[in-house]
Amino acid sequence: MYKFMKRLAKKREYPQQHAQTDLLLPEKLSASLVQNTETIASLTGNSSDFTVRSFHGLGGMTFAVVFIDGLTDSFIVNENIVKPLMQEADAAAAGQPGGIDSFAFVKDRVLTVGSTNTIHTFTDLMSTLYGGHTVILAEGWQHGISASSSKWEQRGVEEPATQTVIRGPKEGFTENIGTNVALLRRKIKSPRLWKIDRKIGRITRTDVSVMYINGIADDTVVGEVLERLDRIDTDSILESGYLEEFIQDKTFTPFPTMINTERPDSVAAALLEGQVALLVDGTPFVLLLPITFFKFFIASEDYYQRFDISSFLRILRICAFTISMVLPSIYIAVTTYHQEMIPTTLLVSLAAQREGIPFPAFFEALMMEVTFEVLREAGVRLPRAIGSAISIVGALVLGQAAVEAGLVSAAMVIVVAFTAISSFVVPAFNIAIAARLIRFVLMFLAATMGFFGIMSGLLFLIIHMLSIRSFGVPYLAPVAPLVPGNLKDSVFRAPWWMMITRPRLISKKGSIVRQKPKPRPDRSGDESERKT
Amino acid sequence: MKRLGILLLCFLVSMLAGGCWNQTELNRLGIVSAVAYDLDEANQWTVTYQVIIPRTSQGASGGGGSEAPVTVFSSKGRTIGEASQKKDFETPRRLFFAHTRVIILGRRAATYGVDQILDTYLRSNETRENAYILVTEGQGQDVLEVLTTMDPVPGILISSLLSGQGGRQSNLAPSRLHEFISSVTNPSQSATLSEIKVSGVQENQKSLDALKKTRSSAVLKLSRIGVFKQNRFTGWLSLKESFGIAWMTNRMKNTIVTFPCKGDGADGQLSSFFVESSRTKLKPSLSNGQLTMSVEIEAKGSLYETPCSLDLKKPETIKELNGYIQQKIKADVEQSYRAVAGMQADVLGFGDAFHRKYPQEWKQLGKSWEQEFAKIKLDVGVRVAIRRTGMINDSFSKISASVND
């Protein structure tokens, strides 16, 4: 399978060379306006949204403004670029003594926009256009001027749909990387929050930002991330999932080595722990790395609620994750191999339910699990209006009718339903998917070898997890290898004042959150007051 | 990556070549709730199985009511193995013994000896050593045929009879298989087993129609205590005689002691004392060849009932009652000892006590312990404390008398 994939990867090299010829641009802007506009037209294949407006303005010169319709604010283009050039520039120039350098004059005195840049090449010109800027060209100029005028339709900051909380901020990332960076800047008001930009994807030129807090994040991890990003050679990055597959440590594993989140507060917390965030333009999902296995069971809410309930919830989540992985296989093993482990009355009642069921327990479980997976997938893909209809059908078909028809036993429905619900408890969706896949393997093992099979499967799984590293950090970090100091924020969460050091393996060595002991009310003052 | 392929291949081969090991679906399983062993005159073993029918023993999931919750069948053979092999001609399901709660020995099989039965039990990997073992006067299979009302499965009913009552009725013999085995293998001690008996007309209780009546025509009852010498059944101890055994072996937890409230011989009015906790110490002594066992019993409890007109607020009255109870317990203990001494069966663990205290002398004593046991001089000391008199102080008869005055 791996060889086949390698072969696939090799085949991709052919269109690469082809793509390069596409992007061959004339190097420099020329002094001829007509030539420049023609070059733009030929580069874009006369796409109609590339607007080139030619007019006469300052001193009777011929100007052209170039912008992409839909990415620019027409008000700014009209009022701050075209209008001053056509009407007001002459009056301002009249007051100037002697002859004027039209290029510097336009850039410094005429354009009333926030930022301007000088454009030398067509590559620059194109990339500024895609950024929503307007480029001003004129007959006789060797350079162009880009003026910021971007404005496009985008979703507002809304509550994230995938990671809702009861207590905590309700804002979520959007598809715009600028907005996302701003959301983070508002949370961490420190100049140490550094941002390194890359453009990845030969055709899509997607903006990717690596953000970390200098002095907290491990420099070697940041270096490793940048190096892996630079190694990516692809023509498109449309979602952070693309990046994840390109830079992850291990491909053949069901376990993800990065967390994705829609929540700025989660990202801010991760940055403060020394993790590195990867923001990709066009998706609200931000990647966090390096991570450990136990991070998947941490919801951002854990830090906003009291530590005792948070610890309880984390244990609950880990239990639910384990249940979602092993419950059907345990049921299969117990009912087909180890009947002596069930209390007599329960065994009798289970046996009564199985009377007249034509299939072996394994097949019964497989059937129900597949049915549930189908329903789940249908629920995600269906138009929202039909969703409720499917849930009714699902509940009736899965629940009642199948039992009454004697296809499956009632206990099996309970097992499958509980497994399904358990799989939704884990806050990180991508680890729940891993459990889904492992579940089927374990069911097969349970059907062939009983508990022995399950145990060897789990053993294999643990060995496999021990071999995984996320950017150099062992996957099962605070537990194996044992880092006693980090246990306070793994399965349990200690109160905030007890968490003095940052996670050792993730952040820079010796990174300390706080040095003072727990703040206590000043009792001595009270007593002296009482005495007097 | 070649390694991964080989690993995957090994995995698949071991999965598929292994087949499904000893997989049995639940509906291919005959769950045996009780087994009875009988021996007929020709010394042929009859093994009787009581198999649960899950469909009907579950009230909730329908079906129940028209069919019996269990089915009983027997197979014969010269050995237990032969008998159990023949059962496969009869049953379509694999009989599953891990949930067998109760083993019943017929009187004749018990008298013949339990070695063979225990041997098969210990050899099998499916059976459990914490099953209950009981002995019955007649045929063991008759007990299994009786349908019961409180629990649809008779085997489960018998086991809950023993486990549920064990806390309250201490005059039952220890009946777990492993307890029985450890006392059978003790050379100086004799084992005991509780008796299960069918009280009433057994024939009428075999049909499901019998369950429709409020009063069953036959019920399963725990009764006497069967005494085993080594591996053979030797005789019965009546309920009355078995009472003292629990005192002497320190197994008495809760019981009711019935005593005359004005001392022996007085107008026959009887009161009850409820024992809440008790402790017994055995102190063996040996002087001039005379074995003496001093049994020191301490019992604490509350007054359960009294018909006599007593002023229970006075400590003297309580003290007096304590004395009567002590006499009664002492009498019970002595009666039990006489009964077991008559059988020359040391069910009390006296042998172990002497062995521990006099290891040198035991070398002689142990050789003829059964005779020596019967000659022990018993010295019973009882200390009783009535700690509570319940929700009222004076007896009701005294209260009503004072109202009439």
Side-chain angles (χ1 to χ4, degrees), chain B residues 178-243:
Chain B
H178 63 87
E179 292 169 324
F180 180 65
I181 287 169
S182 65
S183 55
V184 162
T185 49
N186 187 339
S188 69
Q189 204 174 353
S190 297
T192 51
L193 282 184
S194 286
E195 183 198 21
I196 182 98
K197 71 170 184 187
V198 184
S199 151
V201 189
Q202 191 253 0
E203 273 309 305
N204 297 348
Q205 195 67 19
K206 284 157 82 171
S207 154
L208 206 62
D209 294 332
L211 296 181
K212 290 177 180 158
K213 291 183 283 185
T214 55
R215 189 181 284 269
S216 305
S217 46
V219 289
L220 294 176
K221 251 187 198 171
L222 295 171
S223 180
R224 297 171 288 179
I225 295 219
V227 178
F228 282 70
K229 264 189 175 175
Q230 311 306 337
N231 59 8
R232 285 194 176 81
F233 174 82
T234 46
W236 297 109
L237 287 178
S238 72
L239 206 56
K240 212 161 182 283
E241 287 169 335
S242 69
F243 210 62

Coordinates of all heavy atoms in Angstrom, one line a residue, chain B residues 178-243:
Chain B
H178 N -15.8 -25.4 48.4 CA -14.5 -25.3 48.8 C -14.4 -25.5 50.3 O -13.4 -26.1 50.8 CB -13.8 -24.0 48.4 CG -14.4 -22.8 49.0 ND1 -14.0 -22.3 50.1 CD2 -15.4 -22.0 48.5 CE1 -14.7 -21.2 50.4 NE2 -15.5 -21.0 49.4
E179 N -15.4 -25.1 51.1 CA -15.4 -25.3 52.5 C -15.6 -26.8 52.8 O -14.9 -27.3 53.7 CB -16.6 -24.5 53.2 CG -16.4 -23.0 53.1 CD -17.7 -22.3 53.5 OE1 -18.8 -22.8 53.2 OE2 -17.6 -21.2 54.2
F180 N -16.5 -27.4 52.0 CA -16.7 -28.8 52.2 C -15.4 -29.6 51.9 O -15.0 -30.5 52.7 CB -17.8 -29.2 51.3 CG -18.2 -30.7 51.4 CD1 -18.7 -31.2 52.6 CD2 -18.0 -31.5 50.3 CE1 -19.0 -32.6 52.7 CE2 -18.3 -32.9 50.4 CZ -18.8 -33.4 51.6
I181 N -14.8 -29.2 50.8 CA -13.6 -30.0 50.4 C -12.5 -29.8 51.5 O -11.8 -30.8 51.9 CB -13.1 -29.4 49.1 CG1 -14.0 -29.9 47.9 CG2 -11.6 -29.9 48.8 CD1 -13.7 -29.3 46.6
S182 N -12.3 -28.6 52.0 CA -11.2 -28.5 53.0 C -11.5 -29.2 54.3 O -10.6 -29.7 55.0 CB -11.0 -27.0 53.3 OG -12.1 -26.4 53.9
S183 N -12.8 -29.4 54.7 CA -13.1 -30.1 55.9 C -13.1 -31.6 55.6 O -12.7 -32.4 56.5 CB -14.3 -29.7 56.6 OG -15.4 -29.8 55.7
V184 N -13.4 -32.0 54.4 CA -13.3 -33.5 54.0 C -11.8 -33.9 54.1 O -11.5 -35.0 54.5 CB -13.9 -33.7 52.7 CG1 -13.5 -35.1 52.1 CG2 -15.4 -33.7 52.8
T185 N -10.9 -33.0 53.6 CA -9.5 -33.4 53.5 C -8.8 -33.3 54.9 O -7.7 -33.7 55.0 CB -8.8 -32.5 52.5 OG1 -9.1 -31.2 52.8 CG2 -9.2 -32.9 51.1
N186 N -9.5 -32.7 55.9 CA -8.8 -32.6 57.2 C -9.0 -34.0 57.9 O -10.2 -34.4 58.2 CB -9.5 -31.5 58.0 CG -8.8 -31.2 59.3 OD1 -8.1 -32.1 59.8 ND2 -9.1 -30.0 59.8
P187 N -8.0 -34.7 58.3 CA -8.1 -36.0 58.8 C -8.8 -36.1 60.2 O -9.5 -37.0 60.5 CB -6.7 -36.6 58.9 CG -5.8 -35.3 58.9 CD -6.6 -34.3 58.1
S188 N -8.6 -35.0 61.0 CA -9.2 -35.1 62.3 C -10.6 -34.5 62.3 O -11.3 -34.7 63.3 CB -8.3 -34.3 63.3 OG -8.4 -32.9 63.0
Q189 N -11.0 -33.8 61.3 CA -12.3 -33.2 61.3 C -13.3 -33.9 60.4 O -13.0 -34.5 59.5 CB -12.2 -31.7 60.9 CG -13.3 -30.9 61.4 CD -13.1 -29.4 61.0 OE1 -12.1 -29.0 60.5 NE2 -14.1 -28.6 61.3
S190 N -14.6 -33.8 60.8 CA -15.7 -34.4 60.0 C -16.4 -33.2 59.3 O -16.6 -32.2 59.9 CB -16.6 -35.2 60.8 OG -15.9 -36.3 61.4
A191 N -16.8 -33.5 58.1 CA -17.5 -32.4 57.4 C -19.0 -32.5 57.7 O -19.6 -33.5 58.0 CB -17.3 -32.6 55.9
T192 N -19.7 -31.4 57.5 CA -21.1 -31.4 57.6 C -21.7 -30.7 56.3 O -21.1 -29.9 55.7 CB -21.6 -30.5 58.8 OG1 -21.0 -29.3 58.8 CG2 -21.3 -31.2 60.1
L193 N -22.9 -31.1 56.0 CA -23.6 -30.4 54.9 C -25.1 -30.2 55.3 O -25.6 -31.0 56.1 CB -23.6 -31.3 53.7 CG -22.3 -31.4 52.8 CD1 -22.6 -32.3 51.6 CD2 -21.9 -30.0 52.4
S194 N -25.7 -29.2 54.8 CA -27.1 -28.9 55.1 C -27.9 -29.9 54.2 O -27.5 -30.3 53.2 CB -27.4 -27.5 54.8 OG -26.9 -26.7 55.8
E195 N -29.1 -30.2 54.8 CA -30.0 -31.0 54.0 C -31.0 -30.1 53.3 O -31.4 -29.1 53.8 CB -30.8 -31.9 55.0 CG -31.7 -32.9 54.2 CD -32.8 -33.5 55.1 OE1 -33.1 -32.9 56.1 OE2 -33.3 -34.5 54.7
I196 N -31.3 -30.5 52.1 CA -32.4 -29.8 51.3 C -33.4 -30.9 51.2 O -33.1 -32.1 50.9 CB -31.9 -29.3 50.0 CG1 -33.1 -28.6 49.3 CG2 -31.4 -30.3 49.1 CD1 -33.0 -27.1 49.4
K197 N -34.7 -30.5 51.5 CA -35.7 -31.6 51.3 C -36.9 -31.0 50.7 O -37.2 -29.8 50.7 CB -36.1 -32.2 52.7 CG -36.8 -31.3 53.6 CD -37.3 -32.1 54.8 CE -38.2 -31.2 55.7 NZ -38.6 -31.8 56.9
V198 N -37.7 -31.9 50.1 CA -38.9 -31.5 49.4 C -40.0 -31.7 50.5 O -40.3 -32.8 50.9 CB -39.2 -32.3 48.2 CG1 -40.5 -31.8 47.5 CG2 -38.0 -32.2 47.2
S199 N -40.6 -30.6 50.9 CA -41.6 -30.8 51.9 C -43.0 -30.6 51.3 O -43.3 -29.6 50.7 CB -41.4 -29.7 53.0 OG -42.6 -29.3 53.6
G200 N -43.8 -31.7 51.3 CA -45.1 -31.7 50.7 C -45.1 -32.8 49.6 O -44.2 -33.7 49.6
V201 N -46.0 -32.7 48.7 CA -46.2 -33.8 47.7 C -45.4 -33.3 46.5 O -45.8 -32.4 45.8 CB -47.7 -34.0 47.3 CG1 -47.8 -35.2 46.4 CG2 -48.5 -34.1 48.6
Q202 N -44.3 -34.0 46.2 CA -43.4 -33.6 45.2 C -44.0 -33.7 43.8 O -43.8 -32.8 43.0 CB -42.1 -34.4 45.3 CG -41.0 -33.9 44.4 CD -40.7 -34.8 43.2 OE1 -41.4 -35.8 43.0 NE2 -39.8 -34.4 42.4
E203 N -44.8 -34.7 43.6 CA -45.4 -35.0 42.3 C -46.2 -33.8 41.8 O -46.2 -33.4 40.6 CB -46.4 -36.2 42.4 CG -45.6 -37.5 42.1 CD -44.8 -37.5 40.8 OE1 -45.4 -37.2 39.8 OE2 -43.6 -37.8 40.9
N204 N -46.9 -33.1 42.7 CA -47.8 -32.1 42.3 C -47.1 -30.8 41.9 O -47.6 -29.9 41.3 CB -48.8 -31.7 43.5 CG -49.7 -32.9 43.8 OD1 -49.7 -33.9 43.1 ND2 -50.3 -32.8 44.9
Q205 N -45.8 -30.7 42.4 CA -45.1 -29.4 42.1 C -44.2 -29.5 40.9 O -43.4 -28.6 40.7 CB -44.3 -29.1 43.4 CG -43.8 -27.7 43.5 CD -44.8 -26.6 43.7 OE1 -46.0 -27.0 44.1 NE2 -44.5 -25.4 43.4
K206 N -44.4 -30.5 40.1 CA -43.6 -30.6 38.9 C -44.2 -29.9 37.7 O -43.5 -29.7 36.7 CB -43.3 -32.1 38.6 CG -42.3 -32.7 39.5 CD -42.5 -34.2 39.6 CE -41.8 -34.9 38.5 NZ -41.7 -36.4 38.7
S207 N -45.5 -29.7 37.7 CA -46.1 -29.0 36.6 C -46.2 -27.5 36.9 O -46.3 -27.1 38.0 CB -47.5 -29.6 36.4 OG -48.3 -28.7 35.7
L208 N -46.3 -26.8 35.7 CA -46.4 -25.3 35.9 C -47.7 -24.9 36.5 O -47.8 -23.8 37.1 CB -46.3 -24.7 34.5 CG -45.7 -23.3 34.4 CD1 -44.3 -23.2 35.0 CD2 -45.8 -22.8 33.0
D209 N -48.7 -25.8 36.4 CA -50.0 -25.5 37.0 C -49.9 -25.3 38.5 O -50.7 -24.5 39.1 CB -51.0 -26.6 36.8 CG -51.3 -26.7 35.3 OD1 -51.2 -25.7 34.6 OD2 -51.6 -27.8 34.8
A210 N -48.9 -25.9 39.1 CA -48.7 -25.8 40.5 C -48.4 -24.4 41.0 O -48.7 -24.0 42.1 CB -47.6 -26.8 41.0
L211 N -47.8 -23.6 40.0 CA -47.4 -22.3 40.4 C -48.6 -21.3 40.4 O -48.5 -20.2 40.8 CB -46.4 -21.8 39.4 CG -45.1 -22.5 39.4 CD1 -44.1 -21.9 38.3 CD2 -44.4 -22.5 40.7
K212 N -49.8 -21.8 40.0 CA -50.9 -20.9 39.9 C -51.6 -20.8 41.3 O -52.5 -20.0 41.5 CB -51.9 -21.4 38.9 CG -51.3 -21.2 37.5 CD -52.3 -21.7 36.4 CE -51.6 -21.5 35.0 NZ -52.2 -22.3 34.0
K213 N -51.3 -21.7 42.2 CA -51.9 -21.7 43.5 C -51.1 -20.8 44.5 O -49.9 -20.6 44.3 CB -52.0 -23.1 44.1 CG -52.9 -24.0 43.3 CD -53.0 -25.4 43.9 CE -51.8 -26.2 43.5 NZ -51.9 -27.6 44.0
T214 N -51.8 -20.3 45.5 CA -51.1 -19.4 46.4 C -50.2 -20.3 47.4 O -49.2 -19.8 47.8 CB -52.1 -18.6 47.3 OG1 -53.0 -19.5 47.9 CG2 -52.8 -17.6 46.4
R215 N -50.7 -21.4 47.7 CA -49.9 -22.3 48.6 C -49.4 -23.4 47.8 O -50.2 -24.2 47.3 CB -50.7 -22.7 49.8 CG -49.9 -23.4 50.9 CD -50.7 -23.9 52.0 NE -51.2 -22.8 52.9 CZ -50.5 -22.4 54.0 NH1 -49.3 -23.0 54.3 NH2 -50.9 -21.4 54.7
S216 N -48.1 -23.5 47.7 CA -47.5 -24.6 46.9 C -47.7 -25.9 47.6 O -47.7 -26.0 48.8 CB -46.0 -24.4 46.7 OG -45.8 -23.1 46.2
S217 N -48.0 -27.0 46.8 CA -48.2 -28.3 47.4 C -46.8 -28.9 47.8 O -46.8 -29.8 48.6 CB -48.9 -29.2 46.4 OG -48.3 -29.1 45.1
A218 N -45.8 -28.4 47.3 CA -44.5 -28.9 47.8 C -43.5 -27.7 47.7 O -43.5 -26.9 46.8 CB -43.9 -30.0 47.0
V219 N -42.7 -27.6 48.7 CA -41.6 -26.5 48.7 C -40.3 -27.1 49.0 O -40.2 -28.2 49.6 CB -41.9 -25.4 49.7 CG1 -43.1 -24.6 49.3 CG2 -42.1 -25.9 51.1
L220 N -39.2 -26.4 48.6 CA -37.9 -26.8 49.0 C -37.5 -26.2 50.3 O -37.8 -25.0 50.5 CB -36.9 -26.3 47.9 CG -37.1 -27.0 46.5 CD1 -36.1 -26.4 45.6 CD2 -36.8 -28.5 46.6
K221 N -37.0 -27.0 51.2 CA -36.7 -26.5 52.6 C -35.3 -26.9 53.0 O -34.9 -28.1 52.7 CB -37.7 -27.1 53.5 CG -38.8 -26.1 54.1 CD -39.6 -26.8 55.1 CE -40.8 -26.0 55.4 NZ -41.7 -26.8 56.2
L222 N -34.7 -26.1 53.7 CA -33.4 -26.5 54.4 C -33.8 -27.1 55.7 O -34.7 -26.7 56.4 CB -32.5 -25.3 54.6 CG -32.0 -24.6 53.4 CD1 -31.3 -23.3 53.7 CD2 -31.1 -25.5 52.6
S223 N -33.1 -28.2 56.0 CA -33.6 -28.9 57.2 C -32.4 -29.3 58.1 O -31.6 -28.5 58.5 CB -34.4 -30.1 56.8 OG -34.9 -30.8 57.9
R224 N -32.2 -30.6 58.2 CA -31.2 -31.1 59.2 C -29.8 -30.9 58.6 O -29.5 -30.3 57.6 CB -31.4 -32.7 59.3 CG -32.8 -33.0 59.9 CD -33.0 -34.4 59.9 NE -33.3 -34.9 58.5 CZ -33.5 -36.2 58.3 NH1 -33.5 -37.1 59.2 NH2 -33.8 -36.6 57.0
I225 N -28.9 -31.5 59.4 CA -27.5 -31.4 59.0 C -26.9 -32.8 58.8 O -27.1 -33.7 59.7 CB -26.6 -30.7 60.1 CG1 -27.1 -29.2 60.1 CG2 -25.2 -30.8 59.8 CD1 -26.1 -28.2 60.3
G226 N -26.3 -33.0 57.7 CA -25.8 -34.3 57.4 C -24.3 -34.3 57.8 O -23.6 -33.4 57.5
V227 N -23.9 -35.4 58.5 CA -22.6 -35.5 59.0 C -21.8 -36.5 58.2 O -22.3 -37.6 57.9 CB -22.5 -35.9 60.5 CG1 -21.1 -36.1 61.0 CG2 -23.3 -34.9 61.4
F228 N -20.6 -36.1 57.8 CA -19.8 -36.9 57.0 C -18.6 -37.3 57.8 O -18.0 -36.5 58.5 CB -19.3 -36.2 55.7 CG -20.3 -36.1 54.6 CD1 -21.4 -35.3 54.8 CD2 -20.2 -36.8 53.5 CE1 -22.4 -35.2 53.8 CE2 -21.1 -36.7 52.5 CZ -22.2 -35.9 52.6
K229 N -18.2 -38.6 57.7 CA -16.9 -39.0 58.3 C -16.0 -39.3 57.1 O -16.3 -40.1 56.2 CB -17.2 -40.3 59.0 CG -17.4 -40.1 60.5 CD -17.3 -41.4 61.2 CE -17.4 -41.3 62.7 NZ -17.5 -42.6 63.3
Q230 N -14.9 -38.6 57.1 CA -14.0 -38.5 55.9 C -14.9 -38.2 54.7 O -15.5 -37.1 54.6 CB -13.3 -39.8 55.7 CG -12.6 -40.4 57.0 CD -11.6 -39.3 57.6 OE1 -11.2 -38.4 57.0 NE2 -11.4 -39.5 58.9
N231 N -15.0 -39.1 53.8 CA -15.8 -38.8 52.6 C -17.1 -39.4 52.5 O -17.8 -39.4 51.5 CB -14.9 -39.2 51.3 CG -14.7 -40.7 51.4 OD1 -15.2 -41.5 52.2 ND2 -13.8 -41.2 50.4
R232 N -17.6 -40.1 53.6 CA -18.8 -40.8 53.6 C -19.8 -40.2 54.6 O -19.5 -39.7 55.7 CB -18.6 -42.2 54.0 CG -18.0 -43.0 52.9 CD -18.1 -44.5 53.1 NE -17.6 -45.3 52.0 CZ -16.3 -45.5 51.8 NH1 -15.4 -45.1 52.8 NH2 -15.8 -46.1 50.8
F233 N -21.1 -40.2 54.1 CA -22.2 -39.7 54.9 C -22.4 -40.7 56.0 O -22.5 -41.9 55.8 CB -23.4 -39.5 54.0 CG -24.7 -39.2 54.8 CD1 -24.9 -37.9 55.1 CD2 -25.6 -40.2 55.1 CE1 -26.1 -37.6 55.8 CE2 -26.7 -39.9 55.8 CZ -27.0 -38.6 56.2
T234 N -22.6 -40.2 57.3 CA -22.8 -41.2 58.4 C -24.2 -41.0 59.0 O -24.7 -42.0 59.5 CB -21.7 -41.1 59.4 OG1 -21.5 -39.8 59.8 CG2 -20.5 -41.8 59.0
G235 N -24.6 -39.8 59.1 CA -25.9 -39.7 59.7 C -26.4 -38.2 59.8 O -25.7 -37.3 59.4
W236 N -27.6 -38.1 60.4 CA -28.2 -36.8 60.4 C -28.1 -36.2 61.9 O -28.2 -36.9 62.8 CB -29.7 -36.8 60.1 CG -30.0 -37.3 58.7 CD1 -30.5 -38.5 58.3 CD2 -29.7 -36.5 57.5 NE1 -30.6 -38.5 56.9 CE2 -30.2 -37.3 56.4 CE3 -29.2 -35.2 57.2 CZ2 -30.1 -36.9 55.1 CZ3 -29.2 -34.8 55.9 CH2 -29.6 -35.6 54.9
L237 N -28.0 -34.9 61.9 CA -28.2 -34.2 63.2 C -29.5 -33.4 63.0 O -29.7 -32.7 62.0 CB -27.1 -33.2 63.4 CG -25.7 -33.7 63.9 CD1 -24.8 -32.5 64.0 CD2 -25.9 -34.5 65.1
S238 N -30.4 -33.5 64.0 CA -31.7 -32.8 63.8 C -31.4 -31.3 64.0 O -30.3 -30.9 64.5 CB -32.7 -33.3 64.9 OG -32.2 -32.8 66.2
L239 N -32.4 -30.5 63.6 CA -32.3 -29.1 63.7 C -31.9 -28.6 65.1 O -31.1 -27.8 65.3 CB -33.6 -28.4 63.3 CG -33.5 -27.0 62.7 CD1 -32.6 -26.9 61.5 CD2 -34.9 -26.5 62.4
K240 N -32.5 -29.3 66.1 CA -32.3 -29.0 67.5 C -30.8 -29.3 67.9 O -30.2 -28.6 68.6 CB -33.3 -29.8 68.4 CG -33.7 -29.2 69.6 CD -34.9 -29.8 70.2 CE -35.5 -29.2 71.4 NZ -34.8 -29.5 72.6
E241 N -30.4 -30.5 67.4 CA -29.0 -30.9 67.7 C -28.0 -30.1 67.0 O -26.9 -30.0 67.5 CB -28.9 -32.4 67.3 CG -29.6 -33.4 68.2 CD -29.6 -34.8 67.6 OE1 -29.5 -34.9 66.4 OE2 -29.8 -35.7 68.4
S242 N -28.3 -29.5 65.9 CA -27.3 -28.8 65.1 C -27.1 -27.4 65.7 O -26.1 -26.8 65.3 CB -27.8 -28.7 63.7 OG -28.9 -27.8 63.6
F243 N -28.0 -27.0 66.6 CA -28.0 -25.6 67.1 C -26.6 -25.3 67.8 O -26.0 -24.3 67.6 CB -29.1 -25.4 68.1 CG -29.6 -24.0 68.1 CD1 -30.2 -23.4 67.0 CD2 -29.6 -23.3 69.3 CE1 -30.6 -22.2 67.0 CE2 -30.0 -22.0 69.3 CZ -30.6 -21.4 68.2

